[in-house]
Amino acid sequence: MHIKDLYSIYSEHPQVCTDTRKINAGYMFFALRGEHFDGNTFAAQAIQDGAAYAVIDNPEMQENEKYILVDNVLETLQQLANYHRRQLSFPFIGITGTNGKTTTKELIKSVLSVRYKTYATQGNLNNHIGVPLTLLSIDKSIEMAIIEMGANHQQEIEFLCKIAEPDFGLITNVGKGHLEGFGGFEGVKKGKGELYDYLKSKSAMAFINKDNIFLQEMASMRGLSNVFQYSTASDSALKGELVENDPFLVIDWIYNSERHRVKTNLTGPYNLENILAAIALGIHFKLSPDEINQGLAAYSPGNNRSQITKTAKNTLICDYYNANPSSMNAAIENFSALRAEKKILILGDMFELGEESAEEHKMVVKKAELIQAGQKIFIGKNFLAHQSDTSLFFESTDLAYEWLRSQQFMGATILLKGSRGMHLEKLIDVF
């Protein structure tokens, strides 16, 4: 079936789903294949559960006209998403980066939503399947779209840009994340820089943190000229200053010689650059300073990304959505700077670091053991390989749980930081 004809069907049934457990009446089901499953085998179930059509690539599953046979379901989904994208004329903002891209995305959404009907990537739908699903979730009533693009290999951002075709772009930063897939830090820079390559090819605007020497280098080598820069330095049109971090950030931002102050619900000086990125987008899209501050103040982090939670006994900084050496070091530095009387540092293993894993875990242990904290606890086999006499080390989260449960901590500020696969959320009910 030609993609234009499929789009006519999608226009009548604009709810797209790849999971039969989430099917509702009138949906279009795309029967994706995976390593351990074949969505074609669920097509009949999808139709039975109310799907208007099932897009399949196994002719043996085609029972009637409700089964749309294509050569490759995934490629068809991606082509349909790009075709839909081209029907939409409002601004699309593409975001990638090693750390902070989801927080930045949500901050930008909160700011732009003060004036515009804004749609942003939901959850972690930021890969070769998630981006198409995100695009197909956007209807013509939207006025701004923010597309998060994740990657753990080179050429992934390039591919996602071809699907989403962003009009504006932002790389939050480049750091030591997914080193195994990217082939080291230089590979990370090249992979994330594919967004700059796309923006350059379209003469589209890039929003760039002027303080980040790697982003400056990446932009310069590509000859990017259509840029909006923000910084903590005085020679930038948009400047940000940290006023307070105890534990929430209060910042001043200066634009056109006018100073504005906002109290946020974020913690950690590392979030200053994410806030400035949202301010930069707000300025570009003509929001007033009051509107920008309204959007910034309204955002509260969730999904365990620097999320502050107060229990009956303690204050928790939950930051275990993901972890890499860059974000781990930033979290440790922020925790060290907090003025809490009683601190407990709990760090879990970092994943996908390849050959650099042992050295990176060793460096994190060294850095963490230098800060002032009542207890320093490391969890996971990677950290256990570098155990010392000055901290506590547990091979698993379950073993740490048993010890923590026996301690009955009270009045403590506790940082929980680690990769998602460490399941540090298991420890919450201890505190």
Side-chain angles (χ1 to χ4, degrees):
M1 176 178 286
H2 191 277
I3 206 70
K4 187 175 181 180
D5 297 325
L6 184 61
Y7 189 71
S8 296
I9 295 174
Y10 161 77
S11 297
E12 295 295 323
H13 302 277
Q15 277 74 43
V16 169
C17 188
T18 62
D19 186 343
T20 52
R21 294 169 297 183
K22 299 177 181 177
I23 288 289
N24 285 318
Y27 276 33
M28 288 184 70
F29 173 69
F30 280 73
L32 296 177
R33 298 174 186 261
E35 287 186 29
H36 306 292
F37 67 91
D38 180 359
N40 287 276
T41 62
F42 298 99
Q45 184 65 48
I47 296 296
Q48 182 179 325
D49 291 345
Y53 293 93
V55 181
I56 60 174
D57 49 21
N58 183 346
E60 295 180 3
M61 301 294 176
Q62 190 175 26
E63 298 183 15
N64 53 47
E65 70 280 356
K66 289 190 173 185
Y67 296 78
I68 301 173
L69 182 65
V70 299
D71 291 334
N72 183 295
V73 172
L74 176 58
E75 291 178 3
T76 299
L77 178 70
Q78 293 164 342
Q79 292 165 9
L80 182 66
N82 178 248
Y83 191 93
H84 178 55
R85 159 68 183 99
R86 294 187 172 192
Q87 315 310 308
L88 305 173
S89 58
F90 46 80
F92 274 68
I93 302 156
I95 297 180
T96 192
T98 302
N99 300 310
K101 54 184 175 290
T102 299
T103 297
T104 303
K105 172 198 70 181
E106 294 298 331
L107 280 166
I108 294 171
K109 179 187 177 184
S110 188
V111 168
L112 296 181
S113 293
V114 175
R115 182 177 294 190
Y116 304 102
K117 186 175 181 181
T118 305
Y119 189 93
T121 298
Q122 303 292 305
N124 61 349
L125 294 175
N126 63 8
N127 63 5
H128 64 296
I129 297 172
V131 168
L133 291 175
T134 295
L135 293 171
L136 291 168
S137 299
I138 301 173
D139 63 49
K140 293 183 179 180
S141 71
I142 298 298
E143 298 173 302
M144 293 278 180
I146 308 165
I147 309 298
E148 180 181 330
M149 296 182 285
N152 53 25
H153 292 81
Q154 293 179 35
Q155 297 186 309
E156 286 183 281
I157 298 298
E158 175 187 8
F159 181 71
L160 296 177
C161 283
K162 290 178 180 177
I163 298 175
E165 299 187 8
D167 305 296
F168 303 87
L170 168 72
I171 303 176
T172 56
N173 51 54
V174 287
K176 294 181 178 180
H178 301 296
L179 293 175
E180 186 173 19
F182 278 114
F185 182 58
E186 289 302 315
V188 175
K189 289 165 62 179
K190 184 176 180 181
K192 299 299 184 181
E194 289 163 8
L195 177 55
Y196 284 171
D197 291 331
Y198 180 85
L199 298 174
K200 172 69 174 178
S201 72
K202 300 294 182 180
S203 298
M205 176 174 283
F207 294 82
I208 303 176
N209 177 6
K210 195 173 183 179
D211 299 336
N212 191 305
I213 58 173
F214 300 119
L215 297 181
Q216 290 297 312
E217 172 192 288
M218 291 159 59
S220 177
M221 67 183 290
R222 291 167 172 82
L224 290 186
S225 56
N226 188 10
V227 300
F228 187 119
Q229 300 203 84
Y230 51 92
S231 171
T232 58
S234 58
D235 62 343
S236 179
L238 171 59
K239 178 187 175 185
E241 296 177 354
L242 180 61
V243 177
E244 186 178 323
N245 176 36
D246 193 30
F248 296 111
L249 295 180
V250 177
I251 73 155
D252 280 356
W253 58 275
I254 302 98
Y255 185 71
N256 284 341
S257 301
E258 294 184 3
R259 181 178 291 267
H260 311 279
R261 179 165 294 187
V262 59
K263 181 178 180 180
T264 75
N265 297 304
L266 291 158
T267 188
Y270 50 84
N271 271 311
L272 176 56
E273 62 189 64
N274 302 330
I275 294 167
L276 284 174
I279 295 170
L281 268 295
I283 289 171
H284 179 77
F285 288 110
K286 311 300 183 185
L287 273 72
S288 70
D290 286 345
E291 287 175 319
I292 291 171
N293 280 356
Q294 180 183 337
L296 294 174
Y299 172 66
S300 292
N303 298 323
N304 304 309
R305 293 177 170 92
S306 300
Q307 182 176 345
I308 296 179
T309 301
K310 290 186 180 293
T311 70
K313 298 183 288 185
N314 301 288
T315 298
L316 308 182
I317 303 174
C318 300
D319 196 0
Y320 44 76
Y321 182 83
N322 216 338
N324 55 55
S326 303
S327 65
M328 191 72 85
N329 287 331
I332 293 169
E333 289 173 4
N334 175 58
F335 193 62
S336 177
L338 295 180
R339 295 197 293 266
E341 290 184 12
K342 185 177 181 181
K343 296 182 183 179
I344 300 169
L345 178 68
I346 302 176
L347 303 181
D349 275 356
M350 303 172 288
F351 297 158
E352 296 185 56
L353 297 181
E355 295 179 355
E356 299 183 45
S357 180
E359 182 63 22
E360 294 295 347
H361 280 88
K362 179 181 178 181
M363 295 300 292
V364 168
V365 171
K366 284 186 174 181
K367 186 179 185 71
E369 290 191 331
L370 291 174
I371 74 168
Q372 295 295 316
Q375 290 281 0
K376 296 162 190 172
I377 300 165
F378 299 89
I379 303 173
K381 294 180 180 179
N382 291 311
F383 277 132
L384 187 62
H386 307 286
Q387 61 182 311
S388 68
D389 296 332
T390 58
S391 302
L392 292 174
F393 290 78
F394 296 94
E395 186 174 0
S396 69
T397 303
D398 289 338
L399 290 173
Y401 178 90
E402 292 303 320
W403 183 84
L404 289 166
R405 187 172 61 172
S406 70
Q407 299 305 300
Q408 297 295 316
F409 290 111
M410 294 285 290
T413 298
I414 304 163
L415 171 64
L416 291 149
K417 175 71 177 176
S419 285
R420 215 174 337 175
M422 291 303 298
H423 302 293
L424 297 184
E425 68 275 5
K426 292 180 179 179
L427 306 178
I428 296 298
D429 64 2
V430 170
F431 305 113

